[in-house]
Amino acid sequence: MKRLLAAGSGPIYQIARVFRREEAGRHHNPEFSMLEWYRPGWDHLRLMDEVEALLRLAGVPDGPRWERLSYREAFLRHAGLDPFGASLEQLREVCVAQLNLSGELAAGTSRDVYLDLLMSAAVGPRLGLELPLFLHDFPASQGCPGARAPRRSAGGGAL
């Protein structure tokens, strides 16, 4: 698909079977179907609108517009700290306090490990409880390698 885009194909999509090697568990099936599409020139906010419209056409009940929440806003709301501005020590303290972890977390625990812990146990479980929501603007180290902020203009989406 990337070659087609590079050749100037314009908007394209595909539905394909996908297989995971590494991840498995309650939220990760080893095999699934994925709809992938690209809309050159569209930003992530316009793609969110399109995903919502597509899912409503597919039978998701109509109702209020789904929330768009940045990674920073989600952490401020549900963990009480700014993930971009918090020090390593602040992240550790919040993990210990909110997740009932040992105060003696391993020395050398990285910022990304703390952010992963907070997202998995404190922030993520509180998202989308009433309505689906879009979580966006992850820090580069926490996001999908193909979804770095500067590449948004490529107009890609996956469902």
Side-chain angles (χ1 to χ4, degrees), residues 88-109:
L88 200 58
E89 181 59 23
Q90 288 171 314
L91 289 170
R92 189 193 71 74
E93 288 171 2
V94 170
C95 281
V96 168
Q98 290 192 18
L99 308 180
N100 297 318
L101 297 176
S102 164
E104 298 190 19
L105 289 170
T109 299

Side-chain angles (χ1 to χ4, degrees), residues 37 42-55 65-70 133-137 152 156-157:
W37 73 98
W42 284 31
D43 67 12
H44 67 298
L45 299 172
R46 194 166 171 196
L47 286 167
M48 288 180 218
D49 291 339
E50 184 172 50
V51 169
E52 183 173 353
L54 174 66
L55 291 175
R65 183 174 187 257
W66 300 349
E67 185 175 9
R68 278 79 171 143
L69 189 66
S70 74
L133 85 113
F134 294 97
L135 187 63
H136 60 89
D137 293 340
R152 276 197 195 114

Side-chain angles (χ1 to χ4, degrees), residues 84-159:
F84 298 101
S87 69
L88 200 58
E89 181 59 23
Q90 288 171 314
L91 289 170
R92 189 193 71 74
E93 288 171 2
V94 170
C95 281
V96 168
Q98 290 192 18
L99 308 180
N100 297 318
L101 297 176
S102 164
E104 298 190 19
L105 289 170
T109 299
S110 74
R111 171 176 213 81
D112 282 331
V113 168
Y114 288 132
L115 291 174
D116 281 341
L117 283 169
L118 288 167
M119 177 55 79
S120 333
V123 178
R126 295 181 176 133
L127 300 176
L129 297 176
E130 301 296 321
L131 288 169
L133 85 113
F134 294 97
L135 187 63
H136 60 89
D137 293 340
F138 282 71
S141 64
Q142 294 290 302
C144 161
R148 303 275 192 258
R151 298 182 64 194
R152 276 197 195 114
S153 62
L159 175 66

Side-chain angles (χ1 to χ4, degrees), residues 63-86:
R65 183 174 187 257
W66 300 349
E67 185 175 9
R68 278 79 171 143
L69 189 66
S70 74
Y71 185 90
R72 172 178 273 135
E73 293 166 330
F75 267 77
L76 287 169
R77 185 183 297 175
H78 299 295
L81 63 82
D82 180 343
F84 298 101

